[in-house]
RNA sequence: GGACCCGUGGUUCAGUGGUAGAACGCUUCAUUCACAUUGAAGAGGUCAGAGGUUCAAAUCCUCUCGGGUCCACCA
């Protein structure tokens, strides 16, 4: 054995051996009880980051259960990541001086498809370098034909059940990316804006958006506001930049008499709360901003100006006409931004597909309340409930091409929608054959929200449903986890599965924290502080990186990337390696027939150490069963180094006999097995060198009832 | 507006009502030894602050201060 453990010579070879031996497949323990974790699908076009490295938690659980004879499946997959990927691709197009509008839908799709396929596979090999024992033979992709079929089918069922509906509603629309977003995808930011006090005939009202005034279909006051009582129900004639206009005054509870002047303009086509007010009062919608972000013909001479240009122009002209009372330039408000391009989102009225979430959310809340799904750490349950109890309908249409096109056709004759499970319909119910397919695609989360069922069904592994653990970053609890629970229960219910414990997609949710930079700041490309975990694997070895991420970090807590900790982990791996070297060396001492210098009390001493190992097995097993990975890692670290190496090995030197050495080898084997889920490579390498067995990863977990 | 997390030696963080812990750093010593990626010893903490519950609180409760996050969003 080399004096220093060199991961570079070892890790790649061992991983290849594992993979070619079929050890990652559940067939390795085919008679065992099923145990399953589904890897959160990785972005097909993405690169490895620390979010992926944290999946080491899953590998620990998987290896632990595999060694305990479970028929263990860890299923990998990739996600087409609709908006993310199209956004990246369009940036590339832009560099070439082109835009998505230069291509037909099919052309653009094919180009992105080609681009993604060229980049696919990268992340898979990176996950291999971390030692993840994923069953690659079952890998799935969200755009696999049979996955898409399931997604279509779910949509059709939701439509048939009346849970999916088409409605013209205000959506968060990015006029730069040309698509709408769900509420979750909106990033809110505090801004300082101008609040304009505008004259509307005899009234003065405050607004941040004077350019939408052409879309006003009423002004509103609070019903109890005495100042304006006499105007309610009247139609005012007002002076505007486009000449005289008439506008109705309504009373609505939603108006805050304390805000501004207590009068508010109602623009149902461009403001979420005005949209609601408009519905209550049957106001008409007048859209004055187009999907290109420019003013349309309702804006008269301002037509063609962008929102920002129009605001300046209109304010200037209103000031000239004396229509502005005053401007508060230090008004603090929050604006919704596109999470991709950070431009201000425009609320625009658009026909979209929505899922009615109320009915889906109810059982999803119940299963967590009744602890049929357990969330760790438990504090995240509150966030889960908060999200589901206040859930709004989910806009699942995206105006992009990269993704699963919605299987809905509109009849040009009767204007009804025909929804199929993917097949092109021959004709509408009314008999017309003039059907045009919706151009939109599904929100990526609609397909990934069906991932546990879809992957297990299409690989003929439904016996693993529900999965045992869903482990992911806490940041996507509402985006992904909650939606998987809702859709999972719905789908299984439709499949005729009666018991709720068999409908849920997984039994336990484990959430890990974020890995920040060494100063505790979030890693981001724009800050330039992103560290690639693979560079650390090169430098420290996969085992050390894995151990450093687990040791000293409580489940669900964020951690700062720590180089001292990585160093410590590497030293630990090296220490273990040298303990192996000592035992190899000890064999020679025995062979040379040297006599021990201390013989009294040797049996008691020997039994003491065997008992110590047994205690450790019990504790580590218990910690792993409770998902207390950091406790287990700390106990293993302390025992291995400060008990086994510092005391046991020092104490055996004068007591070296064939019997004590055999016992030490047994105890060392136990330590290796307990450490294997955490640091799989070095433990496997030592295990094989000592010919303890064919492979540690499929050998049995030590039992703690074994008598010495 | 609603909620969650964090605050513990110089630093990064564990801590499960019962004597304040680890790693790194620091100080001193050792070193023909499996390992200098080593060993032994040591210094260093009013556990953010205040109050409460308890025989006993870093831990449970309330409030305050500081840092961070999520959700909802009003002209």
């Amino acid at each position: 054995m080399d004096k220093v453990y060199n991961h570079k010579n070892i890790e790649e070879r061992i991983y290849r051996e594992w993979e070619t031996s079929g050890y990652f497949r559940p067939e390795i323990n085919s008679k065992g009880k099923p145990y399953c974790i589904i890897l959160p699908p990785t972005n097909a076009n993405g690169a490895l980051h620390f979010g992926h490295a944290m999946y080491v938690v899953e590998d620990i659980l998987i290896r632990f259960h595999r060694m305990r004879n479970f028929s263990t499946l860890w299923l990998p997959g990739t996600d087409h990541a609709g908006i993310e990927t199209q956004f990246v691709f369009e940036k590339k197009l832009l560099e070439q001086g082109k835009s998505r509008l230069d291509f037909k839908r099919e052309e653009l799709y094919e180009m992105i498809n080609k681009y993604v396929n060229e980049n696919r596979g990268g992340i898979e090999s990176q996950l291999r370098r971390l030692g993840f024992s994923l069953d690659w033979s079952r890998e799935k992709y969200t755009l696999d034909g049979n996955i898409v079929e399931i997604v279509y089918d779910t949509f059709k069922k939701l439509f048939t059940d009346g849970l999916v509906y088409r409605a013209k509603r205000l959506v968060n629309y990015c006029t730069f990316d040309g698509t709408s977003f769900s509420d979750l995808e909106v990033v809110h930011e505090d801004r300082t804006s101008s609040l304009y006090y505008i004259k509307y005939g005899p009234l003065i009202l405050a607004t941040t958006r004077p350019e939408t005034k052409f879309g006003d279909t009423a002004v509103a006051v609070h019903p109890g506001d005495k100042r304006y009582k006499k105007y309610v129900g009247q139609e005012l004639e007002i002076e505007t930049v486009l000449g005289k206009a008439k506008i109705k005054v309504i009373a609505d509870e939603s108006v805050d008499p304390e805000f501004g002047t207590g009068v508010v303009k109602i623009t149902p086509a461009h403001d979420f709360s005005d949209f609601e007010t408009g519905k209550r009062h049957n106001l008409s919608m007048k859209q004055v901003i187009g999907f290109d972000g420019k003013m349309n013909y309702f804006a008269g001479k301002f037509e063609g100006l962008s929102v920002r240009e129009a605001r300046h122009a209109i304010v200037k002209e209103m000031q000239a006409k004396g229509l502005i009372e005053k401007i508060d330039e230090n008004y603090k408000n929050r604006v919704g931004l596109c999470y991709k391009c950070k431009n201000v989102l425009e609320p625009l009225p658009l026909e979209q597909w929505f899922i009615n979430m109320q009915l889906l959310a109810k059982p999803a809340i119940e299963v967590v309340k009744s602890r049929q799904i357990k969330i760790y750490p438990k504090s995240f349950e509150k966030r889960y409930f908060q999200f589901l109890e206040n859930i709004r309908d989910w806009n699942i249409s995206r105006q992009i091409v990269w993704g699963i096109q919605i299987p809905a056709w509109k009849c040009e004759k009767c204007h009804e929608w025909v929804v199929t499970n993917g097949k092109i319909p021959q004709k509408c119910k009314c008999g017309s054959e003039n059907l045009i397919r919706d151009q939109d695609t599904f929100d990526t989360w609609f397909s990934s929200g069906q991932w546990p069922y879809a992957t297990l069904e299409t690989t003929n592994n439904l016996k693993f449903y529900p999965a045992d653990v869903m482990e992911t970053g806490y940041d996507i609890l509402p985006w992904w986890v909650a939606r998987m629970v809702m859709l999972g229960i719905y789908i299984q219910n439709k499949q005729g599965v009666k018991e709720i414990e068999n409908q849920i997609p997984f039994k336990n949710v484990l959430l890990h924290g974020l890995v920040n930079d060494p100063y505790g700041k979030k890693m981001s490309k724009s800050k330039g502080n992103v560290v690639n975990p693979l560079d650390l694997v090169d430098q420290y070895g996969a085992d050390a990186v894995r151990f450093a991420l687990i040791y000293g970090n409580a489940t669900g807590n964020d951690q700062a990337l720590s180089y001292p900790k990585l160093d410590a982990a590497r030293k630990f791996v090296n220490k273990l390696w040298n303990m192996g070297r000592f035992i190899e060396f000890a064999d020679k001492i025995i062979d040379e027939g040297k006599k021990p210098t201390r013989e009294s009390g040797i049996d008691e001493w020997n039994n003491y150490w065997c008992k110590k190992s047994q205690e450790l097995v019990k504790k580590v097993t218990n910690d792993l069963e409770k998902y207390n990975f950091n406790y287990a890692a700390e106990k293993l670290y302390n025992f291995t180094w400060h008990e086994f190496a510092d005391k046991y090995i020092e104490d055996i030197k004068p007591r070296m006999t064939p019997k004590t050495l055999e016992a030490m080898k047994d105890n060392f084997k136990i330590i290796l097995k307990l450490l294997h889920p955490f640091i799989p490579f070095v433990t496997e390498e030592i295990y094989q060198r000592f010919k303890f067995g064919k492979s540690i990863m499929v050998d049995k977990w030590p039992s703690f009832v074994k008598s010495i």
Side-chain angles (χ1 to χ4, degrees):
Chain A
M1 284 170 87
D2 292 340
K3 207 167 170 181
V4 173
Y5 174 68
N6 189 346
H7 64 271
K8 283 185 183 151
N9 305 334
I10 290 166
E11 291 180 352
E12 201 189 327
R13 169 175 53 79
I14 288 182
Y15 195 91
R16 215 179 308 121
E17 277 172 32
W18 285 337
E19 200 178 343
T20 51
S21 304
Y23 292 160
F24 297 164
R25 304 202 197 129
E27 290 81 7
I28 201 78
N29 287 324
S30 58
K31 286 177 192 153
K33 230 176 109 189
Y35 184 86
C36 174
I37 298 178
I38 295 172
L39 183 79
T42 51
N43 183 339
N45 188 47
L48 195 79
H49 54 71
F50 272 99
H52 303 118
M54 282 309 292
Y55 296 148
V56 68
V57 168
E58 296 172 40
D59 196 39
I60 290 170
L61 284 173
I62 286 290
R63 287 177 183 272
F64 173 54
H65 282 88
R66 192 184 288 119
M67 289 172 85
R68 296 217 294 171
N69 270 338
F70 284 80
S71 177
T72 307
L73 171 62
W74 191 17
L75 199 154
T78 48
D79 194 301
H80 65 280
I83 287 168
E84 304 278 342
T85 306
Q86 182 158 338
F87 183 76
V88 170
F89 187 78
E90 283 187 29
K91 270 215 291 206
K92 277 175 71 83
L93 280 183
L94 201 67
E95 283 164 19
Q96 299 161 14
K98 291 175 186 160
S99 110
R100 69 171 184 277
L101 304 169
D102 298 337
F103 304 94
K104 279 192 217 149
R105 189 184 203 289
E106 292 72 21
E107 284 174 345
L108 189 58
Y109 184 94
E110 258 326 300
M111 284 160 70
I112 300 176
N113 195 31
K114 196 172 157 236
Y115 169 69
V116 170
N117 282 335
E118 280 165 5
N119 289 318
R120 268 185 76 189
I123 207 157
E124 285 90 333
S125 63
Q126 295 174 334
L127 293 171
R128 284 177 167 91
R129 294 212 41 212
L130 287 163
F132 289 179
S133 55
L134 287 152
D135 183 357
W136 297 105
S137 71
R138 286 171 165 84
E139 185 177 9
K140 297 301 292 182
Y141 177 41
T142 44
L143 298 184
D144 284 344
N146 46 14
I147 297 271
V148 171
E149 274 175 32
I150 288 173
V151 174
Y152 281 158
D153 194 54
T154 304
F155 181 72
K156 192 188 172 204
K157 282 174 177 150
L158 286 164
F159 180 79
T160 310
D161 283 350
L163 291 170
V164 151
Y165 61 93
R166 181 91 177 160
K168 189 168 191 171
R169 289 244 211 125
L170 288 198
V171 293
N172 308 291
Y173 196 88
C174 177
T175 55
F176 296 87
D177 290 333
T179 184
S180 65
F181 290 101
S182 75
D183 296 324
L184 274 178
E185 288 164 313
V186 180
V187 183
H188 292 274
E189 195 177 280
D190 287 312
R191 291 265 174 102
T192 303
S193 325
S194 294
L195 184 64
Y196 305 90
Y197 287 77
I198 301 177
K199 289 181 187 162
Y200 266 54
L203 301 176
I204 294 171
L205 58 80
T207 179
T208 52
R209 303 206 56 189
E211 75 280 5
T212 62
K213 71 193 300 294
F214 311 115
D216 294 353
T217 48
V219 293
V221 298
H222 191 270
D225 197 329
K226 286 179 188 150
R227 293 172 291 177
Y228 306 114
K229 198 139 207 169
K230 60 183 174 195
Y231 297 110
V232 173
Q234 280 190 29
E235 191 150 272
L236 300 177
E237 191 169 86
I238 61 170
E239 190 68 35
T240 79
V241 284
L242 298 178
K244 289 199 189 311
K246 284 186 174 175
I247 195 142
K248 200 163 52 171
V249 181
I250 60 168
D252 194 275
E253 293 279 348
S254 69
V255 179
D256 176 5
E258 304 291 317
F259 182 87
T261 57
V263 186
V264 57
K265 67 196 208 58
I266 302 296
T267 323
H270 297 292
D271 182 280
F272 289 101
S273 97
D274 290 3
F275 179 82
E276 297 299 322
T277 311
K279 271 210 292 200
R280 284 195 291 274
H281 295 270
N282 256 326
L283 301 177
S284 60
M285 268 211 272
K286 204 170 152 198
Q287 184 178 350
V288 298
I289 300 166
F291 293 101
D292 54 1
K294 291 179 176 160
M295 307 304 293
N296 67 16
Y297 57 91
F298 284 120
K301 60 185 167 190
F302 303 103
E303 182 180 355
L305 295 183
S306 75
V307 167
R308 189 185 292 184
E309 290 164 348
R311 186 177 305 167
H312 287 299
I314 290 164
V315 167
K316 211 172 156 190
E317 188 149 341
M318 287 179 86
Q319 279 176 316
K321 286 197 167 187
L323 291 172
I324 291 191
E325 169 82 7
K326 63 170 178 176
I327 302 173
D328 174 2
E329 286 179 350
N330 267 320
Y331 178 66
K332 304 265 188 288
N333 69 341
R334 283 170 78 76
V335 292
L337 305 181
C338 170
Y339 85 109
K340 285 316 302 175
C341 71
K342 300 285 186 287
N343 281 297
V344 177
L345 289 170
E346 205 56 62
L348 290 174
L350 189 61
E351 275 217 1
Q352 300 276 281
W353 293 104
F354 290 90
I355 300 183
N356 180 337
M357 301 306 285
Q358 296 292 335
L359 286 171
L360 294 176
K362 230 180 140 189
I365 293 169
E366 271 312 304
V367 292
V368 174
K369 287 225 159 115
S370 62
R371 314 271 309 144
Q372 286 175 93
I373 295 180
K374 298 190 187 87
I375 300 181
Y376 301 88
K378 201 162 182 272
S379 56
F380 284 102
E381 281 185 2
K382 284 197 180 173
R383 284 198 197 175
Y384 178 86
F385 291 135
Q386 191 183 11
F387 173 67
L388 287 180
E389 279 161 6
N390 301 302
I391 198 159
R392 290 170 54 175
D393 287 356
W394 178 12
N395 168 12
I396 54 166
S397 320
R398 294 292 176 275
Q399 292 71 50
I400 56 174
V401 305
W402 182 238
I404 302 172
Q405 192 176 354
I406 297 173
W409 285 258
K410 191 172 190 177
C411 174
E412 289 293 277
K413 196 177 161 205
C414 69
H415 305 296
E416 288 292 314
W417 284 92
V418 183
V419 170
T420 77
N421 51 8
K423 288 199 190 89
I424 299 170
Q426 292 307 304
K427 51 184 163 185
C428 174
K429 267 186 273 180
C430 75
S432 166
E433 290 179 14
N434 195 359
L435 296 167
I436 293 176
R437 186 167 188 177
D438 186 4
Q439 292 296 294
D440 291 352
T441 49
F442 287 122
D443 179 359
T444 300
W445 299 99
F446 182 67
S447 44
S448 50
Q450 304 175 42
W451 201 236
Y453 171 77
T455 51
L456 292 174
E457 160 66 28
T458 53
T459 53
N460 292 314
N461 286 293
L462 272 185
K463 71 166 180 175
F464 290 99
Y465 190 100
D468 293 85
V469 172
M470 174 50 64
E471 199 277 343
T472 189
Y474 65 74
D475 49 331
I476 54 173
L477 181 67
W479 297 64
W480 194 44
V481 178
R483 285 161 173 174
M484 274 192 290
V485 176
M486 291 187 280
L487 289 173
I489 293 172
Y490 175 78
I491 293 169
Q492 286 297 77
N493 196 14
K494 292 310 253 183
Q495 296 289 335
V497 175
K498 290 278 178 286
E499 303 76 20
I500 189 97
E501 63 262 35
N502 297 327
Q503 293 174 352
I504 53 173
F506 33 74
K507 299 172 205 159
N508 299 284
V509 175
L510 253 180
L511 299 165
H512 63 245
L514 309 176
V515 181
N516 294 320
D517 79 0
Y519 305 99
K521 298 270 177 269
K522 203 168 174 168
M523 288 189 196
S524 76
K525 276 186 198 158
S526 55
K527 276 188 233 157
N529 60 350
V530 176
V531 179
N532 183 346
L534 285 188
D535 293 340
L536 301 181
V537 170
D538 282 337
Q539 200 182 338
Y540 296 91
D543 288 332
V545 172
R546 292 168 61 115
F547 201 78
L549 288 174
I550 298 303
Y551 184 89
N553 177 250
T555 310
N557 278 9
D558 292 352
Q559 60 179 316
L561 179 66
S562 162
Y563 289 98
K565 204 153 91 172
L566 282 162
D567 257 321
R570 190 183 43 157
K571 287 181 186 174
F572 177 60
V573 169
N574 190 58
K575 185 75 183 179
L576 190 68
W577 177 255
N578 273 293
M579 288 161 68
R581 281 188 73 206
F582 171 78
I583 292 169
E584 193 180 54
F585 162 83
D587 269 329
K588 280 187 206 137
I589 296 178
I590 296 291
D591 289 347
E592 287 164 8
K594 276 187 190 162
K595 286 259 153 51
T597 55
R598 285 187 64 171
E599 288 188 85
S600 65
I602 212 162
D603 285 341
E604 289 84 349
W605 174 84
N606 208 18
N607 280 336
Y608 166 82
W609 283 104
C610 292
K611 245 181 232 159
K612 277 263 196 183
S613 302
Q614 295 304 310
E615 276 167 28
L616 184 71
V617 172
K618 198 170 176 178
K619 283 180 190 160
V620 169
T621 306
N622 190 32
D623 284 340
L624 287 177
E625 279 173 345
K626 289 180 176 163
Y627 308 127
N628 290 328
F629 306 100
N630 57 325
Y631 295 0
E634 197 176 324
K635 279 169 194 148
L636 283 165
Y637 181 95
N638 287 336
F639 186 83
T640 305
W641 201 314
H642 300 302
E643 295 285 329
F644 203 108
D646 290 347
K647 299 199 178 91
Y648 193 12
I649 287 185
E650 288 310 314
D651 290 352
I652 201 175
K653 286 175 184 170
R655 298 180 175 86
M656 192 69 79
T657 68
K659 195 179 162 192
T660 54
L661 182 59
E662 270 320 296
M664 173 169 273
K665 281 189 185 173
D666 281 345
N667 288 328
F668 189 55
K669 197 166 143 182
I670 288 172
I671 304 283
L672 289 176
K673 284 182 177 178
L674 296 183
L675 278 168
H676 179 255
F678 297 85
I679 46 174
F681 290 111
V682 69
T683 47
E684 177 74 289
E685 177 66 12
I686 296 171
Y687 197 83
Q688 289 188 12
R689 275 176 179 269
F690 278 98
K691 300 195 168 49
F692 282 150
K694 200 174 166 212
S695 166
I696 192 170
M697 80 166 280
V698 290
D699 206 342
K700 303 295 162 265
W701 188 254
S703 96
F704 44 84
V705 289
K706 187 181 130 193
S707 57
I708 310 297

